[in-house]
Amino acid sequence: MASVDAFFLQPFKTHRKRLVSGQRVPAKTKHHALQDGERLARTAEGVAVVHVVADDETGEVASIEVIARHGAIPDEFDEQIRAA
């Protein structure tokens, strides 16, 4: 049972006075995710860099962790990604 690491960026923008999530952006490695997160934070109001560990065979998620935050991120974001 092998595990796979995946990284993605979750940008946020304000829509009708609320922070809403934009389209997720995948990243190849942790290094790329952190660099791209800093770059994307220049244009987005907030960015979360997320690390996901999943089982390679079943796709079952073993863990989800926010490894970097930039700017404004909704308070309930951590709860939302754990529920997904």
Side-chain angles (χ1 to χ4, degrees):
M1 189 160 93
S3 62
V4 175
D5 292 321
F7 299 92
F8 68 88
L9 312 170
Q10 181 62 66
F12 294 93
K13 61 183 177 179
T14 301
H15 180 71
R16 296 185 181 177
K17 299 183 182 180
R18 284 188 45 215
L19 276 175
V20 294
S21 58
Q23 186 173 1
R24 289 182 181 173
V25 179
K28 293 180 181 180
T29 64
K30 181 177 181 178
H31 176 73
H32 285 108
L34 293 172
Q35 274 189 333
D36 292 348
E38 289 179 12
R39 189 175 307 117
L40 186 57
R42 295 179 194 148
T43 58
E45 294 185 44
V47 177
V49 181
V50 181
H51 175 217
V52 179
V53 178
D55 183 279
D56 189 26
E57 295 173 6
T58 64
E60 185 177 334
V61 175
S63 69
I64 298 176
E65 176 186 13
V66 177
I67 57 174
R69 297 170 181 267
H70 303 283
I73 297 175
D75 296 333
E76 65 276 358
F77 176 68
D78 288 329
E79 296 161 9
Q80 289 175 348
I81 63 169
R82 292 193 198 306

